[in-house]
Amino acid sequence: PLELGVCTDGLLKMHKSLEEQVHDNFRNLILCNHGERLGIYDFGANLSELAHELGSEGVDGEAIKRIKTAVSKYAPFIAPKTFESFSDNRDNQHVAKVGIRVIYDIPVLGVTDKALEVIIYVTG
């Protein structure tokens, strides 16, 4: 999402390192569903349809498979290591939320054990 810049960023917040940019792009890849990216129909991990059942062994396996498929096609420089799904029980009176935590490496940048955590809104 867009953020207003501070100090030397200019109008919008900018990434200052390649590691930050890769992290942001990986977040977008995981959160994007098929058909949402104009001109690239299969972009994204397409996890929203699995959100109701994340946490069960079979569905978590499918989520891992979808993430690995998206990464191998659109971000092969990322090496996912671990995957964990969890329920986000904070402030969810009207909206159910499921979280995904992925630990990954970026070998070409020498980055190891970087964590990405995203929240998927299940129902409202």
Side-chain angles (χ1 to χ4, degrees):
L2 295 176
E3 291 182 45
L4 291 176
V6 293
C7 297
T8 61
D9 280 339
L11 178 61
L12 300 174
K13 182 177 177 184
M14 303 295 287
H15 292 292
K16 303 280 192 247
S17 74
L18 192 53
E19 179 182 339
E20 289 175 1
Q21 183 63 50
V22 169
H23 184 78
D24 193 44
N25 287 345
F26 189 32
R27 173 185 306 280
N28 292 334
L29 183 65
I30 287 179
L31 287 174
C32 198
N33 295 297
H34 292 174
E36 292 179 346
R37 180 84 182 254
L38 186 62
I40 309 174
Y41 177 79
D42 66 341
F43 184 83
N46 204 35
L47 298 178
S48 67
E49 64 188 28
L50 302 177
H52 286 284
E53 298 176 35
L54 275 170
S56 65
E57 192 173 317
V59 175
D60 280 1
E62 178 64 22
I64 292 167
K65 179 181 159 193
R66 289 180 183 197
I67 290 170
K68 286 182 177 180
T69 300
V71 166
S72 68
K73 184 168 185 176
Y74 292 106
F77 43 86
I78 295 175
K81 293 170 63 174
T82 64
F83 171 90
E84 176 187 355
S85 63
F86 59 92
S87 293
D88 184 355
N89 296 320
R90 292 172 290 152
D91 202 26
N92 64 350
Q93 182 179 359
H94 302 291
V95 179
K97 298 181 276 186
V98 176
I100 296 172
R101 184 176 300 114
V102 179
I103 307 295
Y104 65 97
D105 295 340
I106 311 170
V108 296
L109 297 179
V111 175
T112 59
D113 296 329
K114 182 90 171 157
L116 173 67
E117 197 171 285
V118 296
I119 300 294
I120 298 174
Y121 293 92
V122 180
T123 55

